[in-house]
């Protein structure tokens, strides 16, 4: 019987079962988050929560997730693939069960924290495993399947949640996820193998504490800015703490011989460039995810389910495109995909910067679907192009850094674009008031709606500028060869693959005789 706890060389292990098990885990983690967002209004009524308390269920998940992701580089070097994934999925399962049976807000909050502790490990670990399993010329296809999980879960989440909460209790949402998680844990126990190399670094408690306050402060500050405003103490105090502690954290990591999170990954120019593009694109991408539901529900009066259905085709198209994009990346590289994808993103984002109170539902569905085609050509290819330049010893740090900055970009983009919308709405409202300063209640409602639409348009225009910046930067993306210390490893994998093929051919010849 094979020892599933021992390290196995990537060239000697079946890759399909490992990727399937880990992608399934990432899928349910993302699905869980999108399911809950739609259900929050129902949960407020059912559990007697305030709107702020309900929002904290999302905020705490994001915070724990964001705090844990930078630590995953250390965890991936300390614990084996199998051990880490089974622990993460078990935590996620326990948290899901707690949420499903909770009958009070504190218990529900605890469940969300436990869920987030497991979910934060999954995506960096999955990307690290892909880098360890596949040679350079096949990573795009593998990353494409990660993109499939990342896109498909948000695609079905809002619609599924809308159907469930209209028919059943919101608790059913957690009990839909739980059986999938349990099945994945069982599959992981039997199929998952240890394919990442361990260096067993020492635990640096100071770095963990500094990382928690640095990333936690920044994430909390930015996530609160959209709702509280930049002048609120709940925004500038956490941001101030986060910035100051981040300086100490980065300084400490650069001094340590074995840092918890290696900031020297930015010495590799293509990794740095693609990370900047990923951050810019993520900030632009969040515009549609936040502003379109506001426009549809608050201005046009559509239900959450109708809002979710408008976004569904685009997310499904994007999910279907992801594996295709991955294969194209292996053939033609990231630059052509990024330029075409960002060209589409610029054009379609600009379309949303011209909304009116009569913009057609199906026109928006088409424009959003086309926009998601563009985004599907950008995210995973540019991230893979950057990670491909890193030496094998920095895979865990590169994946942790890329995912951390993507999480930060989502929070910053959300806060910034919502702030633009809010401030511009106030400005347009003041500009459109009658000269007398007096208006009827009906006139005020009409003026407010029109001012909000103009504020949303202004926010989309800013998102268009983000996309244009990403488009310009994409001209500088190049194919990168593996660094010197990884050439031998890639040659070994290629030679083993050739040897395995020759051996198989010999067996076939012998059998035919």
């Amino acid at each position: 019987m094979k020892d599933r706890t021992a390290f196995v060389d990537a060239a000697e292990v079946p890759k399909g079962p490992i990727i399937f098990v880990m992608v399934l885990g990432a899928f349910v983690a993302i699905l869980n988050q999108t399911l809950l967002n739609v259900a929050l209004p129902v949960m407020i009524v059912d559990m007697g929560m305030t709107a702020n308390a309900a929002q904290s269920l999302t905020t705490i998940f994001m915070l724990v997730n964001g705090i844990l992701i930078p630590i995953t580089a250390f965890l991936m070097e300390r614990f084996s693939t199998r051990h880490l994934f089974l622990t993460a999925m078990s935590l996620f399962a326990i948290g899901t069960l707690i949420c499903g049976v909770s009958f009070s807000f504190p218990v529900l909050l605890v469940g969300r924290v436990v869920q987030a502790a497991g979910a934060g490990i999954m995506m960096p670990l999955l990307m690290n495993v892909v880098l360890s399993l596949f040679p350079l010329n096949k990573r795009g296809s593998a990353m494409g399947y990660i993109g499939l999980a990342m896109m498909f879960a948000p695609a079905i989440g809002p619609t599924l949640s809308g159907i469930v909460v209209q028919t059943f209790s919101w608790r059913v949402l957690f009990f839909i996820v739980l059986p999938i998680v349990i099945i994945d844990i069982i599959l992981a126990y039997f199929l998952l193998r240890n394919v990442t190399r361990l260096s067993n670094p020492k635990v640096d408690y100071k770095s963990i504490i500094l990382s928690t306050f640095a990333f936690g402060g920044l994430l909390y500050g930015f996530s609160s800015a959209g709702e509280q405003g930049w002048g609120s103490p709940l925004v500038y105090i956490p941001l101030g703490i986060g910035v100051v502690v981040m300086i100490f954290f980065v300084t400490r990591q650069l001094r340590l011989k074995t840092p918890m999170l290696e900031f020297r990954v930015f010495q590799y120019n293509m990794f740095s460039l693609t990370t900047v593009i990923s951050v810019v694109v993520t900030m632009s991408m969040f515009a549609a995810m936040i502003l379109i539901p506001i426009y549809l529900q608050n201005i046009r009066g559509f239900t959450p389910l109708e809002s979710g259905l408008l976004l569904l085709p685009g997310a499904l198209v994007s999910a279907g495109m992801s594996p295709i994009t991955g294969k194209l990346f292996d053939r033609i590289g990231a630059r052509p995909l990024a330029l075409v994808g960002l060209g589409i993103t610029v054009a379609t984002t600009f379309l949303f910067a011209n909304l009116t109170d009569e913009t057609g539902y199906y026109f928006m569905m088409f424009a959003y679907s086309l926009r998601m085609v563009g985004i599907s050509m950008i995210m995973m290819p540019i991230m893979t192009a950057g990670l491909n330049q890193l030496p094998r010893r920095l895979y865990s740090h590169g994946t942790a850094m890329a995912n951390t900055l993507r999480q930060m970009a989502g929070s910053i983009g959300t806060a910034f674009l919502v702030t633009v919308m809010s401030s511009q709405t106030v400005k347009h409202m003041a500009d459109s008031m009658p000269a007398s300063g007096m208006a009827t209640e009906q006139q005020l409602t009409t003026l407010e709606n029109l001012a909000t639409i103009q504020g949303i348009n202004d926010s989309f225009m800013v998102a268009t500028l983000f996309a244009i910046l990403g488009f310009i930067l994409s001209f500088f993306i190049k194919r990168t060869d593996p660094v010197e210390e990884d050439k031998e490893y890639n040659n070994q994998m290629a030679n083993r693959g050739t040897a395995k093929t020759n051996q198989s051919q010999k067996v076939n010849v012998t059998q035919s005789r």
Side-chain angles (χ1 to χ4, degrees), residues 277 281 321 325 328 332-349 369-379 381-382 467-468 470-475 477:
I277 297 172
V281 172
M321 280 283 296
T325 301
L328 286 173
I332 63 176
R335 183 165 62 179
L337 289 170
L339 288 173
V340 174
L342 276 161
I344 294 171
T345 305
V346 168
T348 50
T349 307
S369 299
L370 187 58
R371 188 173 190 268
M372 292 304 292
V373 169
I375 287 174
S376 70
M377 301 173 73
I378 306 166
M379 296 306 295
I382 59 172
I468 291 172
F471 179 78
I472 294 170
L473 291 174
S474 294
F475 279 99
I477 296 176

Side-chain angles (χ1 to χ4, degrees), residues 99-154:
C99 289
V101 301
S102 62
F103 284 91
S104 68
F105 172 74
V107 176
L108 188 59
L109 197 64
V110 169
R112 292 292 287 166
V113 170
V114 178
Q115 270 191 327
I121 300 171
M122 291 180 201
M123 191 59 69
L125 179 60
L126 173 55
M127 294 176 69
N128 191 36
V129 166
V130 167
L131 294 176
S132 300
L133 277 179
F134 294 90
L136 285 173
N137 63 337
K138 293 184 179 179
R139 284 178 186 167
S141 300
M143 287 290 193
Y145 289 105
I146 298 177
L148 176 63
M150 290 175 65
M151 298 295 183
F152 187 59

Side-chain angles (χ1 to χ4, degrees), residues 63 105 145 171 176 274 297 310 349 363 382:
L63 271 177
F105 172 74
Y145 289 105
R171 300 177 195 281
I176 288 174
T274 55
Q297 295 174 45
L310 184 142
T349 307
F363 169 78
I382 59 172

Side-chain angles (χ1 to χ4, degrees), residues 242-393:
V243 169
V244 172
V245 178
M246 180 64 76
I247 294 170
F248 285 106
F249 175 67
V250 174
T251 303
R252 182 172 181 80
Q253 300 315 294
L254 293 175
R255 288 176 179 172
L256 288 174
K257 185 178 180 181
T258 308
M260 187 189 82
L261 182 62
E262 180 60 271
F263 282 84
R264 292 181 183 86
V265 290
F266 291 113
Q267 291 178 345
Y268 298 88
N269 60 344
M270 203 49 53
F271 176 82
S272 300
L273 174 65
T274 55
T275 300
V276 172
I277 297 172
S278 179
V279 165
V280 170
V281 172
T282 300
M283 291 174 70
S284 177
M285 183 176 70
F286 269 72
M289 296 173 64
I290 297 160
L291 300 174
I292 290 178
I294 292 174
Y295 168 79
L296 289 173
Q297 295 174 45
N298 296 1
I299 307 300
R300 300 294 298 276
F302 290 103
T303 65
L305 181 57
E306 289 170 326
S307 177
L309 286 172
L310 184 142
L311 304 180
L312 179 62
L316 288 174
V317 167
S318 179
M321 280 283 296
S322 195
I324 299 171
T325 301
K327 290 179 181 178
L328 286 173
F329 171 83
D330 288 334
R331 291 184 179 182
I332 63 176
R335 183 165 62 179
L337 289 170
L339 288 173
V340 174
L342 276 161
I344 294 171
T345 305
V346 168
T348 50
T349 307
F350 182 73
L351 283 178
F352 282 111
N354 294 278
L355 297 174
T356 69
D357 57 353
E358 295 181 349
T359 303
Y361 182 88
Y362 291 103
F363 169 78
M364 292 185 66
M365 182 183 288
F366 170 77
Y368 182 77
S369 299
L370 187 58
R371 188 173 190 268
M372 292 304 292
V373 169
I375 287 174
S376 70
M377 301 173 73
I378 306 166
M379 296 306 295
M380 295 313 294
I382 59 172
M383 193 177 290
T384 308
L387 291 169
N388 277 349
Q389 191 186 23
L390 299 181
R392 186 177 177 83
R393 64 184 174 81

Side-chain angles (χ1 to χ4, degrees), residues 32 59 121 190 203 222 244 305 446:
N32 169 80
T59 304
I121 300 171
F190 290 103
V203 180
F222 283 122
V244 172
L305 181 57
T446 302

